[in-house]
Amino acid sequence: MLTLSHFPGLWKYAEIIMIPKPGKPPHEPTSYRPISLLPIISKLFERLLLQRINEEHDPSTLLPSHQFAFRERHSTILQVHRLLNEITASLEEKKYCNAVFLDICQAFYRIWHPGLLFKLKHALTSNYYFAVRHNNTLSDHYPIEAGVPQGSVLGPLKLN
């Protein structure tokens, strides 16, 4: 797959199951949490690819040192401590300490696919599809036009 830059088409289909949120009206779409189920073989390939990337490159150089999300031994608590140390050091040195906090609502769902594909250098095609399963009924397949996979072991990597 790496030599031919080909990812099998059947591995690009996600089945989405809808998990009801407690206490929400069942007739509203926002009352459900969508969970994507991907083919096991594609998840296995993803882990093998990550192992190969880690063998070729030092993983610590792929992500900036100040990024704590999605990194081993880099918890949110450690990031809060790092921030507090920066603030304390600035106050002790009588310097200004500026901070900007940005929380983008549903950022994973709003990512711009053409830009993401450009960043990936067109290594993979953009033909990914999903179908929604509700009870025993499966919808037609539709192309995924926005969002990124969550829970991916490759998701945190910053590809240059």
Side-chain angles (χ1 to χ4, degrees):
M1 286 189 298
L2 296 176
T3 303
L4 299 175
S5 296
H6 175 73
F7 194 77
L10 290 175
W11 294 9
K12 299 177 186 180
Y13 286 87
E15 185 176 309
I16 299 174
I17 58 172
M18 305 302 283
I19 307 295
K21 294 178 182 177
K24 299 287 185 172
H27 62 278
E28 293 184 21
T30 57
S31 298
Y32 294 88
R33 183 173 314 284
I35 305 294
S36 295
L37 303 176
L38 299 170
I40 293 172
I41 194 77
S42 66
K43 300 291 285 179
L44 178 62
F45 172 72
E46 188 177 80
R47 290 206 177 267
L48 292 172
L49 181 59
L50 177 64
Q51 182 179 348
R52 184 173 224 179
I53 290 170
N54 287 340
E55 288 171 1
E56 295 288 326
H57 302 285
D58 179 7
S60 64
T61 64
L62 296 174
L63 295 172
S65 62
H66 59 272
Q67 178 174 333
F68 276 60
F70 311 111
R71 296 183 72 185
E72 291 182 9
R73 296 180 295 276
H74 286 76
S75 69
T76 304
I77 299 298
L78 290 176
Q79 179 70 308
V80 170
H81 284 291
R82 187 186 76 81
L83 181 62
L84 285 174
N85 287 340
E86 291 288 328
I87 293 170
T88 303
S90 294
L91 289 174
E92 287 175 357
E93 296 173 16
K94 299 191 186 304
K95 293 182 176 178
Y96 288 104
C97 182
N98 298 321
V100 175
F101 299 93
L102 179 63
D103 183 16
I104 301 174
C105 179
Q106 298 184 340
F108 280 104
Y109 301 112
R110 298 171 189 252
I111 192 147
W112 180 47
H113 264 226
L116 176 63
L117 291 173
F118 177 80
K119 188 126 181 165
L120 291 172
K121 299 180 181 166
H122 303 285
L124 301 172
T125 64
S126 61
N127 300 324
Y128 293 88
Y129 298 92
F130 73 94
V132 177
R133 178 174 298 282
H134 185 66
N135 296 328
N136 291 327
T137 306
L138 187 65
S139 74
D140 291 333
H141 286 90
Y142 297 95
I144 297 174
E145 297 177 353
V148 294
Q150 297 180 48
S152 165
V153 295
L154 297 175
L157 294 179
K158 177 183 173 187
L159 302 173
N160 293 323

